[in-house]
């Protein structure tokens, strides 16, 4: 009798957790729910950032793979603080600081820094703001995260957010 009671309780718990998970389809940050295991791994080697022309957005910052870099209005610069953890960081992977001297093309080295994340890892900052990628940007030149939720923005080489809307972005 104890085994059947345990099986009933365990089965109910599994069904309950499944229902809760199914309800968490998204959080308004422009990407479906994802587990935190897909967060960016610490970068190996030097941080690479470059200024690049991306459509109607003009000159913005990209990472070493040409992916668009973003800042989040909910972060702060004084002091620098990243508020994007867990599910948020799965959708908006932090650009990790890496090791060694950053490799910069078209970006003032004095604007680049780091912030310690809640997990102790080092995230890159630009103009004091923590910087991120967007999980839905599939290739270099994509800027699908521009303006998401009215709080995510591409960043210019000067570290300032760019609030222009990308042509054909659907916003």
């Amino acid at each position: 009798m104890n085994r059947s009671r345990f099986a009933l309780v365990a089965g109910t718990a599994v069904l309950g957790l499944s229902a809760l998970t199914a309800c968490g389809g998204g959080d308004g940050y422009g990407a479906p729910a994802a587990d935190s295991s897909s967060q960016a791994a610490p970068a190996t080697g030097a941080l690479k950032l470059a200024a690049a022309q991306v459509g109607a957005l003009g000159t913005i910052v990209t990472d070493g793979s040409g992916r668009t870099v973003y800042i989040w209005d909910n972060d702060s610069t004084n002091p620098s603080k990243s508020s994007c953890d867990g599910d948020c960081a799965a959708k908006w992977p932090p650009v990790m600081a890496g090791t060694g001297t950053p490799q910069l093309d078209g970006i003032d080295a004095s604007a680049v820094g780091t912030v310690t994340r809640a997990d102790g890892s080092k995230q890159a900052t630009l103009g004091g703001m923590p910087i991120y990628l967007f999980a839905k940007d599939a290739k270099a030149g994509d800027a699908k995260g521009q303006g998401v939720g009215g709080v995510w923005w591409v960043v210019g080489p000067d570290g300032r957010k760019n609030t222009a809307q990308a042509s054909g972005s659907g916003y």
Side-chain angles (χ1 to χ4, degrees):
M1 195 59 120
N2 278 342
R3 268 189 204 190
S4 62
R5 182 178 292 177
F6 175 76
L8 178 64
V9 170
T12 302
V14 168
L15 286 174
L17 287 173
S18 296
L20 285 175
T21 303
C23 293
D27 66 357
Y29 293 121
D35 66 36
S36 60
S37 65
S38 63
Q39 289 185 33
T44 57
L47 170 69
K48 295 178 185 177
L49 297 175
Q53 286 290 125
V54 175
L57 295 173
T59 303
I60 65 170
V61 177
T62 60
D63 74 353
S65 300
R67 292 185 62 199
T68 301
V69 172
Y70 299 87
I71 58 174
W72 188 29
D73 284 343
N74 293 350
D75 285 341
S76 63
T77 59
N78 192 14
S80 289
K81 180 173 177 9
S82 171
S83 301
C84 183
D85 293 306
D87 194 43
C88 174
K91 294 171 180 92
W92 298 91
V95 175
M96 304 311 290
T99 58
T101 303
Q103 297 176 12
L104 307 173
D105 182 6
I107 298 166
D108 184 356
S110 68
V112 178
T114 63
V115 64
T116 302
R117 297 179 52 75
D119 65 4
S121 63
K122 296 286 186 183
Q123 181 175 356
T125 62
L126 190 57
M129 288 293 283
I131 56 177
Y132 304 87
L133 302 175
F134 183 45
K136 286 190 172 184
D137 284 349
K139 64 186 182 317
D142 280 354
K144 296 175 183 175
Q146 176 65 346
V148 168
V151 294
W152 288 98
W153 308 102
V154 297
V155 60
D158 59 0
R160 294 183 183 189
K161 70 181 175 184
N162 174 338
T163 59
Q165 291 299 318
S167 60
S169 67
Y171 294 105

